Structures are given as structure tokens and as C-alpha cells.
Amino acid sequence: MKTLPVVDLLVIVAYLVGMVAVGVYFSRNNKSADQFTKASGKIPGWAIGMSIYATFLSSNTFLGVPGKAFGSNWNSFVFSLAMPLSAWVAARFFVPFYRHTGEVSAYTHLEHRFGAWARTYAVACFLLTQLARMGSIFFGIALSLQALTGYPMATIMVVVGICIILYTVMGGMEAVIWTEVVQGVIKTAGALIILWLVIDGMPGGVDKIIEIGKADDKFSLGSFSPNFSQATFWVVFLYGFFMNLNNFGMDQNYVQRYHTTTSIKEATRSIWLCVYLYVPVSLMFFVLGSCLYAYYLNNPELLDAIRMQVAGERLPNGSPEAIRQLAATLSPAEFGDKVMPHFMVNKVPAGLVGLIVAAILSAAMSTISSSMNASATVFSVDIYQRYLNPKLTDGQSLRLLYIATTVFGVLGMITGIAMIGVKSVLDIWWMLSGIFAGGMLGLFLLGMISRQTRNTEALTATVIGLLVIVWMTFSPQIPDEYAFIRSTFHPNMIMVVGTLTIFLVGLILTRLRGQKGEPISEINPKNTVVKL
């Protein structure tokens, strides 16, 4: 399918023009850096909740989750089941903390707590995480649209990226939030349409899908054994708890939104609205993946076509026989991400394709625009104004935010292009985010919870934690003769072990020092500690 019907193209163009128009509309209000980053604190809590939900529901969810469910089971849904616990911790402790400090950056207080190194380290981890996030999402959107249009993935990333940059730069945080409200509705509607089309086209309907799913163990949440070397229920739950706590508790994308609403109560409500929306909707995407599995198993000619497509991409210069041989060896996990784009190309009727493409664009654009705005804010506050020019005028700060937002958007596109060829977009995102975020969350928790931990203990604990993270990350590359020193943990445990190492080592070193630190007031924004 090299060209889309005119009606679908019109829907896509109308959507892109509409998003840019929102940026133009809100550009009237962007007269200060505070408006660009906080929307002047006047956004209602329900809109913030929809915005956070839309950020969570990225193209990694839209494409990666059905692909994951197609290739394996519902084990990854345990990530969503951990979300309510993380949300409770964030609503109870983190939101009041940030509202009391008043700092737009999530990382400013780390310098007050431990020194400039802590703030710089957290900022570096955050920016690397955002590049990984934006890159994986750009890749996901290009993967789908390439199947629909035939255009090169890099070209798709550039065109979509330019649209995102335009409305994010012009409209600031206010445009990001309100476009995400719309995008949240569009992407949810798009997923429901695809789910309905799959079930409607399946002989035997839901009963047949359940029968096939049960026979092939597609609904399993994973093993409940205490085995941390595989993706068991507990491994994914721990990863989900710490990663969601990182998102709600210290990710600038979310922390920045807590300042855009009118009160702590409204900010807290926004977190819970996100949870109430995301958990059932994420389950819907796993259901969709299982439905697609049953559908394609019932249509082997379609399954063979996907196998040949993936084999041809892996052997671009291979002979037809070599491609057929490779196609026969491919497992569902190796082509799961290709299934939903293939279904859209072949089974979605004209008129609905444009809406679904708009939904996938929404899934990508909502998260990327948030990452761009948050990255620009962190760069402006924590790097440029901290180290280069602390006396910027408001006009200079606003211009810096414009430039930084554009630069990070371009870097995200470049990262996405570099990811072309990965096996699973969800796996690569989980791995990269776990590596970058693990040490950052451990340091953050240490600073917020421990009253007595000082700079020396925090720095030592962070160094030890980073060494553990590096060891776990690169264990597979250790030569066979040194196999005994390889980590036996599943890669998702990097986030968990890294966080706990920094936090617990910091507490142990503090206890060994054997001295009581100075009391730290809870309401002092320069040195705040949370009482648990």
C-alpha cells in the first residue's frame, strides 16, 4: 500500500494542521519563561490528568504492547498493575514536596541537599532518558507509517518531528497539555476501532480468540516463582513500581505538570485520573495483541506474508530461498511489532485508516512534545542558568527555551533514526530507561528520606550504584572465561538493583559514620526531607 486514499490523507493532514494551529493559538500567551514552562499554574486538574495519561500512552504502548502480547503473553501488563502503588507514594509524598519547594526543575533541590554534582548527575541521566524515550517513539511511529505509505522511516521521522517542534515551541507547556488532552481521546478511540475490526473479522469471535489464547498460554502474567533471572511476575512488578515511581516522583515530564495546576489537591487528582485511565486502557492493548495473534493464526497466509517481510528486511541482498528459510525460523517475538501495521494496511477500510494513523501520531506526538518541553526546561534551569549565565532576563530565558526545545526535538529524531532495525521497540525502551533512571531514583530517594545522609555518603553510594548498573548492563559482553562474574539478574532488574544499591549503601554509610546530622525542616525548600 504505497499511497493512502485521499480521504485518509485529508484526515491525517487535518490532524497535523490542527496540532500546529493549537501551538499558534497558545503562542499569544507565551510572553514569559514561566508561562512557557508552567502555563502560569492555571490548568485544571482533569486536563493535567489527561495530559499525563497521554504521555504514558505513547507509541511504545500503541505498537509495542500489542507486539509484545502477540509475541509472548501478558507478562508486561504487570508493569501497569504496579502503577497504583507508585501513584499512592507519589501523591502522598512527592506532590506536596514539589509544591512546597516551588522549583520548576525536579532536580534543583538535589544541589541544595548534596551539592552541584548530584544535580548535574540527575540532569544528565534525565536528558539521556528523554533521548532514549523520544528515539524509541520516533522509531515506533515510523515503523507503522512506513507500512502504510512506503516512505523511508527517516523521512517520516523528520516530517512528524517538524510538526511537533512547531507546536511545542510556539505554544509551550499550555499547548503541550491541551494537545495531549485531544491526543489522549484520539489514540484511545483508534485502539478501540482496531480491536473491534479484529474481533469482527475473526470467525468464532471472542470465544475463538479465548480458546486460542488459552491453548497457547497468551494470557499468562508470568511465573510467580521467586526467580529474578527471568521476566517473572515479581521482576516486572518491581521494575514497574520503581519505574512508575521514577515517572510520577522525579521525571521532569510529570513534575513540571504539578506546577501547572492550582493546588496540591488538583495535582494529586491528576495522578489518580492518569492511573484510572491508563491501567484499563493498557490492558486493552494486551487484549488487542492476543486478538491479533488469534486472527493471524487463523489466517496463515497473512502470517507468512509478515514472516517474509521481516526476513527480507534482515536479508536485503539474500536470495529468495535464503529469505524463505529465514522466514520459517522466525518466532512470533521477532515480528510482533510488524503485525498491527500489517493489519492496518490490509484490513482497515478506507476512511478509518486516516483516523487510526492520527491515533498513532497522537500516541507519538504527546510523549515527544512533553519530553521536548521538559528537556528544554531542565537544560535552561539546571545547566545554562546554573553554569553559564545565571542572570538571564525573562526575554533571554524564553529565547533559550525556544532554541533548546528545537535542539532536543532534532536530537530525538536522530536517536530514532539510529534505532532502525531493533527487534522490539518496547524492549529497547525498557532497557535504556532502566539503565539511565536507576541511579537517579536511588539518589533522589536517599536525599528525600534520609535526614542524616551528607554529601560524602551520597557521592560514595552513587559511585557504587553506578558500578553495579554498569556491571549488570554489560555482563552479557563479559568473555566466557570470566562467566562466573556475570550478572544472573534479568535486564529489567537493573533499574531495581541500581536504585536499591544507592539508597541502601547511602543509609549504611550514614549509619557507619555514627553521627547524627542536623535536623532538616520539611518546609524549607532548600533542604527538604520527607518523613515516611
Side-chain angles (χ1 to χ4, degrees), residues 80-120:
S80 300
L81 294 179
M83 182 180 284
L85 181 58
S86 303
W88 180 85
V89 175
R92 175 68 177 82
F93 301 107
F94 285 82
V95 172
F97 169 78
Y98 288 117
R99 295 286 301 200
H100 283 316
T101 66
E103 299 282 0
V104 67
S105 168
Y107 314 114
T108 304
H109 86 282
L110 282 175
E111 179 171 3
H112 302 318
R113 188 71 179 84
F114 295 130
W117 71 268
R119 180 180 185 180
T120 302

Side-chain angles (χ1 to χ4, degrees), residues 1 6 10 32 35 47 63 83 90 114 118 144 157 166 173 184 222 245 283 294 339 362 373 393 449 477 520 527:
M1 186 173 182
V6 174
L10 290 176
S32 67
Q35 173 65 30
L63 297 170
M83 182 180 284
F114 295 130
S144 178
M157 293 185 206
L166 283 174
M173 179 53 78
L245 186 60
L283 176 60
V339 174
S362 297
N373 187 282
T393 65
I449 294 174
Q477 280 72 52
I520 301 173
N527 229 343

Side-chain angles (χ1 to χ4, degrees), residues 357-369:
V357 170
I360 297 175
L361 285 170
S362 297
M365 296 171 77
S366 59
T367 308
I368 292 173
S369 62

Side-chain angles (χ1 to χ4, degrees), residues 465-496:
L466 283 176
L467 291 175
V468 170
I469 290 172
V470 170
W471 163 63
M472 294 181 68
T473 301
F474 294 102
S475 277
Q477 280 72 52
I478 295 177
D480 290 339
E481 56 265 33
Y482 302 107
F484 63 94
I485 64 173
R486 289 175 180 164
S487 168
T488 59
F489 287 107
H490 187 273
N492 285 350
M493 290 297 291
I494 295 174
M495 169 73 172
V496 178

